[in-house]
Amino acid sequence: MRFTKVIQGLEYTEVKLMKIIIAVLAAAVFCAPAGAVDQAGIERRVNALLSRMTLEEKLGQLQQLAGEANGDLHPEHLVLAKKGALGSTLHVRGAARVNELQKAALASRLKIPLLFSFDVIHGYRTIFPVPLAETASWDTDIVREAASVAAAESRAAGIRWTFAPMVDIARDPRWGRIVEGSGEDTWLGSAMARARVNGFQGADYSAPGKIAACAKHWAAYGAAEGGRDYNSTDVSERTLREIYFPPFKAALEEGVATFMSAFNDLNGVPATANRWLMTDILRKEWGFQGFVVSDYTAVDELINHGIAADGAEAAAKALTAGVDMEMVSRSYNSEGARLLKEKRISPAQLDEAVRRVLRVKFRAGIFDSPLADEKEEADVLLAPAHLKAARNAAVRSFVLLKNDGALPLSGALSSIAVIGALAADKEAPLGPWVGDGRARDTVDILRGLRERAGAGIKVSYSPVGGPLDKSTDFSGALEAARGADAVIAVVGENQEMSGEASSRSSLALPGNQLELLKALRAAGKPVIAVLMNGRPLEIGWLADNLSAVLEIWHPGTMAGGAVADVLFGDASPGGKLPFSWPRATGQVPFYYNHRNTGRPANPDAKYSSRYLDLAITPQFPFGYGLSYSSFTLSGFELSASVIPAKGSLIASALLENVSSRAGDEVVQLYIRRKAASSTRPVRELRGFTRVTLLPGEKRRIEFKLGHKELGFLDEKFRFKVEPGELTVWISTSSEGGLTGSFRVSK
Ligand code: GLC
């Protein structure tokens, strides 16, 4: 029986430890730090260039314009580029088109190259699972790899800057953009932010296959009231600093090149005009050296917000706040000269914004290598290794929510009925923000199942039932179900039901899908629901009445293969929920790391923080997910019962695979402070690791608890470890687990 140790997610055996020690010693002696970028040289080049620029050229660098959705450029772009009056485009893509426009910029007086950007959120041409799904893998290696593949394909297509990662925490799943982020938890979201920035940029984003990243949307965009996109947010400074800011700080610490200002009004000041966010926090407190781009027309939208009378005032407020580049609206360029003349902005402000943009352009390497290699593009897009990575990411993102034994499908089956429009849909698996993905490349679920079933299993299909289907005639589906040993119903949301401008007032299964499932269940066959969705949905009836429920999210180009891998048992699901799954819409905003209140919810106590008509518990808790294997946790240990405020300890437990199948488990560590200088959550995630164990294998999983894990913001928002008692859980979700406590001494 192999006995290994896992510390913070890294598996150590004696041999491996020796190899690591030798490698570290060798690196220290022979290698310069990887990715060292000549920052001083870049500053010299920036300032030398800046000193030669005219006002029109300076304002041009602060202008980003949009190309066509299909990647075409506009004739105006060529004219502006030749004049040095354009800094960047979004959407323009494809090596040949990019080069055509870049050559126009290189023909300008100062030959400043354009920075080509695009929303490569979860893949360029090879589309990976949506970010919420990737997060559900709880596997930062997978997330990093997905971003790395997206960067490689984007770079081959001439893109040098992506508007990702989206790191907005979301506690209200009515908000459509929950699908684009990492869910409700700050610790998990911060880990994913670091992994994505590292995947896109590496140590040096001028390197081949790498692109500049963008942390968005700064800040608290996910706190939109009512879950309605673009709506106002009103968030206390403590909640901003404890919940919404840390993933952005993590991205910055990972070296993210740029930030994007959010659409929303934050506490009465729209983010795009919010100097506290853009300068006081981002520059002065955090030392950010890159540049901030506004969101799409967000500068001119300051007029709608009611804090700017016209474009000139909007431009003055945004630039003064610290927004350096204007996306699509043109007030910086149209009003800049006047604002300087009227001293509403200063030459120094303008120069600093241009300096930041030039700095990122130099760091991105586009001065030294401005053109795309038109020969490599075709070989890189949809490369077999990329498709394989996308399929693996999808498999690892799936979350098994219920299984009465119906999964994996038995080899004895001779027929299965696949039901639902989503099963043959080629757009829905790609989810929102499809980059340059093409539906025709999607392996849809029906195809995946047919290819895996082969000749031995008859696969029938009925398109009855779907997110937009209102029909109550289920006869076609029932006929298919009656003729099959098992029914696989693919239900959920289509591509347009989550993402930007796609908030829903209800989390109900849309269309006629719940009624369809009830009819199928009544037909008496085991029904397996495969959920394709971008947010949690009301699925209480499914959980209570169906044989199995597998969450597949929007799984990307390789959806069908990945679903077949898991349904037929070629792979075991191991994902965990990145949010608390509400029982009903009425519960939201809803999250596990809530404060206790003075009257904690107690179903038996009328005067407690609860509902009269619904349990306040989740349908499924944050961090929850089943496997085809079975695991036990035992042997909880704390290496100390008391530590000093500057001390640390190790919490550990023994994980054992007690089944006959190899599989993955995600072991999670949570803490709670019972008494502190501010009210603390009832649980806070402070460590996780996904491990694969063979049948019968045991592994002691260790977590270090030190300053980073135990600290929190005191009444002056200083990060400190306070004396007091803490409870620790080691578990496989945010509920239950092995527990113990220790004290931090004065
Ligand atoms: C959109 C989104 C933002 C995106 C930008 C460019 O409105 O809010 O996330 O990066 O515009 O497409």
Side-chain angles (χ1 to χ4, degrees), residues 439-471:
R440 68 171 181 265
D441 296 327
T442 305
V443 179
D444 60 66
I445 292 173
L446 178 61
R447 176 184 151 193
L449 292 174
R450 281 189 163 145
E451 287 175 355
R452 174 61 180 73
I457 299 176
K458 175 175 168 288
V459 178
S460 60
Y461 171 58
S462 164
V464 168
L468 301 175
D469 189 339
K470 303 288 186 205
S471 161

Side-chain angles (χ1 to χ4, degrees), residues 184-200:
E184 74 183 43
D185 183 79
T186 297
W187 188 270
L188 184 62
S190 299
M192 297 303 161
R194 277 188 284 273
R196 289 189 170 110
V197 169
N198 187 260
F200 284 124

Side-chain angles (χ1 to χ4, degrees), residues 90 119 163 177 216-217 260 263 295-296 327 433 500:
L90 74 142
D119 287 288
F163 299 130
R177 302 196 77 164
K216 71 184 188 181
H217 306 78
M260 181 185 291
F263 284 124
D295 203 337
Y296 200 102
M327 184 189 291
W433 293 114
E500 183 175 357

